[in-house]
Amino acid sequence: MSHAHAVPVPTTITHGEVLTESHAHMVGRREEAQRVLDRELKAGMPPKFALAMAGPLIRAANRARIKHLAELPYVTA
C-alpha cells in the first residue's frame, strides 16, 4: 500500500516522539486498569478476582497498542 492510500492519523509531535490518539487511549486505559487493580487489592479482594475486574481495561489497552503500532509507519513517513 502506498502512502497515497494511507488514512490520515491525528498526531502530536512532542520532544521528538510521535503521539497518536491511540497512544493516548492506550496509556489512559493502562493507568485506569492499574487504579482499578490497586483499589480492589487494597479493599482485600483476592488477586485473581481483582485482575478479572481490571481485565476489560487491560484488553482495551492492548487493542489500542495494536492500533498504535499499525499507525506508526504512516505517522513517521
Side-chain angles (χ1 to χ4, degrees):
M1 178 184 284
S2 70
H3 293 293
H5 294 93
V7 176
V9 178
T11 61
T12 305
I13 299 175
T14 326
H15 304 291
E17 292 183 8
V18 177
L19 303 177
T20 61
E21 285 183 18
S22 57
H23 181 267
H25 184 71
M26 173 186 64
V27 171
R29 293 295 182 220
R30 284 183 180 175
E31 290 172 351
E32 193 175 348
Q34 188 64 49
R35 283 193 298 273
V36 167
L37 188 60
D38 291 343
R39 182 184 69 226
E40 298 304 331
L41 289 173
K42 188 180 278 188
M45 185 175 279
K48 182 178 180 179
F49 295 111
L51 190 57
M53 292 199 65
L57 294 168
I58 294 168
R59 286 188 293 278
N62 285 337
R63 286 190 304 271
R65 179 179 178 270
I66 291 168
K67 183 177 178 188
H68 172 67
L69 292 175
E71 290 172 348
L72 282 179
Y74 300 107
V75 173
T76 57

